[in-house]
Amino acid sequence: MRATSHNRAAVMNDVARLAGVSHQTVSRVLNDHPSVSPATRERVLEAVRQLNYRPNAMARGLAGRRSRVVGVVSFDTILYGPASTLLGIEHAARTAGYGVSIVTLERVDHAGMVSALNALADQSVAGVVVIAPQTAAAAALHNMPLGMAAVAVESAVGGGVPAISVDQVTGARMAVRHLLELGHEKVWHLSGPRDWLETHGRIEGWRTTLEEAGLAAPPLMTGDWSARSGYAAGLELASRDDVTAVFAGNDQMALGLMRAFHERGIRVPDDVSIVGFDDIPEAEFLSPPLTTIRQDFDEVGRRCIAALLRVIEADLPEGPDRPSPDPRVAPTLIVRASTAPPRAGR
């Protein structure tokens, strides 16, 4: 065992890393818990000596019981989906009797994610929920601090980290199937940014449903989740005479599409039908009210916390045997007035 140099006072997670155990095991050793083997106890105590680790007074006060704080890593965004996911997690954690400590990233990249996880580990949180809808954030979860209980949201990270998400593929299939059942023979798709995992699920659902119907997918259009990008795509689509149905990757882009079509004299849904994704609170008040795919973010939050508690309590003999929650939350098609059968002649 060899200590590394530190420019700051050692924390419990440093001891755990050096000793090759979880931070819960370090806590048990420091509190003389009988469930730790003599060999493990000696390894932890040797790491404590090498790092000159000194628990602070608050840590001593909390050592006799599990932390009741859950860490959440999110990112700086006003997008409806991630913001609603964060609220759902907060509500579920507080309902379960846990406080919440949130670290917000200005940039979602590997270095920022690792720094956020280490900061929460230093707070000795019971576990961490990571909202990781982008590929860079998901990749960072393969380097979790040793022994940290974690659950990811809207991510398929693998590596033993449970992930909870809305079934994006099924949601997209619902949207496209609805348009096909109305009689549309070509469904265009305006996707979100390619570095978002949700984007890939919605593209897959769109393409698969068209293929199953024996229809060719028209060229994919890419936006950035904003109404402005939807507006730009709408102006491009308005110049074509073969557009009768568009599946937008989110409701904001659908709003931009509707504005562009209105400016070009194209009526929704008489000339073009539009389906969005998310069911933002304003969707039912648009003109016309927007058909969309609803995501149940409260249910995502409940399942995230349930999955996290299952991981946290896995090594506690007094912990209840919690069932593993279904990792896929079912979406719902909300039919409103922005979709209709295609008009003859367009």
Side-chain angles (χ1 to χ4, degrees):
M1 184 185 302
R2 182 171 62 87
T4 56
S5 60
H6 288 266
N7 295 321
R8 56 171 173 77
V11 297
M12 187 179 293
N13 206 57
D14 297 324
V15 176
R17 189 178 294 108
L18 181 59
V21 299
S22 69
H23 69 271
Q24 291 96 334
T25 297
V26 175
S27 178
R28 291 186 185 117
V29 170
L30 295 176
N31 288 279
D32 201 25
H33 197 284
S35 67
V36 183
S37 70
T40 299
R41 185 181 304 276
E42 180 55 35
R43 195 161 71 250
V44 170
L45 291 176
E46 176 61 22
V48 168
R49 287 190 290 269
Q50 288 192 37
L51 295 173
N52 195 28
Y53 172 64
R54 295 290 184 272
N56 60 36
M58 180 177 293
R60 290 193 183 97
L62 294 174
R65 62 185 187 275
R66 287 188 294 123
S67 168
R68 302 297 295 184
V69 176
V70 169
V72 179
V73 179
S74 185
F75 58 100
D76 188 13
T77 181
I78 59 173
L79 290 173
Y80 177 74
S84 298
T85 299
L86 177 59
L87 285 175
I89 292 168
E90 283 191 272
H91 292 160
R94 297 188 190 284
T95 298
Y98 281 76
V100 179
S101 178
I102 301 172
V103 176
T104 302
L105 303 178
E106 292 185 4
R107 291 184 57 191
V108 182
D109 55 21
H110 179 84
M113 182 65 70
V114 171
S115 176
L117 292 171
N118 286 333
L120 290 170
D122 289 349
Q123 296 178 34
S124 297
V125 295
V128 176
V129 177
V130 182
I131 302 175
Q134 291 163 287
T135 53
L141 293 181
H142 289 288
N143 297 293
M144 293 290 298
L146 187 66
M148 176 176 281
V151 171
V153 186
E154 297 298 347
S155 175
V157 295
V161 178
I164 305 295
S165 64
V166 173
D167 191 336
Q168 306 294 330
V169 175
T170 294
R173 288 174 67 86
M174 287 177 172
V176 177
R177 191 178 301 118
H178 170 66
L179 291 167
L180 295 181
E181 289 174 350
L182 287 172
H184 297 276
E185 297 181 352
K186 179 180 287 188
V187 178
W188 294 74
H189 180 42
L190 173 58
S191 80
R194 293 298 187 93
D195 62 336
W196 283 65
L197 298 171
E198 295 164 329
T199 295
H200 296 284
R202 295 171 196 177
I203 292 174
E204 178 185 343
W206 166 66
R207 282 204 172 115
T208 300
T209 305
L210 291 178
E211 288 172 1
E212 291 175 353
L215 300 172
L220 177 68
M221 307 187 75
T222 303
D224 61 8
W225 300 132
S226 71
R228 182 179 297 276
S229 69
Y231 177 77
L235 293 179
E236 183 176 342
L237 290 172
S239 67
R240 305 180 62 100
D241 59 6
D242 61 345
V243 179
T244 68
V246 184
F247 164 43
N250 75 343
D251 290 350
Q252 281 88 354
M253 292 193 297
L255 172 60
L257 285 169
M258 293 169 72
R259 171 63 183 270
F261 289 150
H262 174 74
E263 289 185 359
R264 293 296 185 267
I266 297 171
R267 297 169 298 172
V268 177
D270 297 348
D271 300 319
V272 177
S273 288
I274 297 177
V275 178
F277 207 108
D278 281 341
D279 194 26
I280 61 175
E282 299 83 4
E284 65 179 308
F285 300 105
L286 297 178
S287 181
L290 181 65
T291 295
T292 186
I293 302 297
R294 176 178 293 165
Q295 303 194 77
D296 189 343
F297 296 110
D298 286 339
E299 182 62 23
V300 170
R302 284 190 290 270
R303 294 193 196 181
C304 280
I305 296 303
L308 184 62
L309 294 181
R310 190 171 188 267
V311 175
I312 290 170
E313 296 170 353
D315 62 345
L316 298 179
E318 71 276 13
D321 184 17
R322 296 179 181 271
S324 178
D326 189 335
R328 288 285 182 264
V329 177
T332 305
L333 171 66
I334 306 298
V335 178
R336 298 193 179 102
S338 67
T339 52
R343 179 172 61 85
R346 180 164 177 85

